[in-house]
Amino acid sequence: MGQEKELKAPETKGEDKHTPYCYKCPGGKFQPKAGQTSCINCPVGRAVRVWGRGKCEVCKAGWASGGAGQSSCVQCRSGWHQPSAAQGSCL
């Protein structure tokens, strides 16, 4: 996936420290503030697949992220469960 080039970094994008351009945050990372120099990992129990999003989505009950910085939530395997939303693992 290529990097989107812009002169000013709007929300959801981090600035490239080596050029005056910006790039979209990759899956598993986000940036809610404009003009930042880096992207932030989605916290445990949240994920974002689409590049350039300004927030991570909560993993719903029955799903888990598996850790921080994930690009998707994963459904619990047969025999496992997760009754709560926003969790990193299945029980």
Side-chain angles (χ1 to χ4, degrees), residues 3-91:
Q3 294 183 344
E4 180 175 299
K5 301 294 184 183
E6 296 181 5
L7 293 178
K8 290 191 175 187
E11 290 184 19
T12 76
K13 298 179 184 172
E15 290 185 10
D16 184 333
K17 295 177 184 177
H18 305 292
T19 71
Y21 299 107
C22 299
Y23 61 92
K24 288 185 175 186
C25 293
K29 295 178 181 279
F30 73 109
Q31 181 49 259
K33 298 179 182 177
Q36 302 301 304
T37 59
S38 63
C39 299
I40 303 166
N41 280 336
C42 289
V44 172
R46 295 175 181 262
V48 62
R49 180 180 305 267
V50 180
W51 283 46
R53 289 285 169 101
K55 67 177 184 174
C56 300
E57 302 297 325
V58 173
C59 297
K60 61 186 178 181
W63 295 69
S65 68
Q70 300 301 308
S71 60
S72 64
C73 298
V74 179
Q75 189 171 20
C76 295
R77 296 181 309 184
S78 178
W80 294 76
H81 70 284
Q82 181 44 261
S84 302
Q87 300 299 307
S89 62
C90 298
L91 308 172

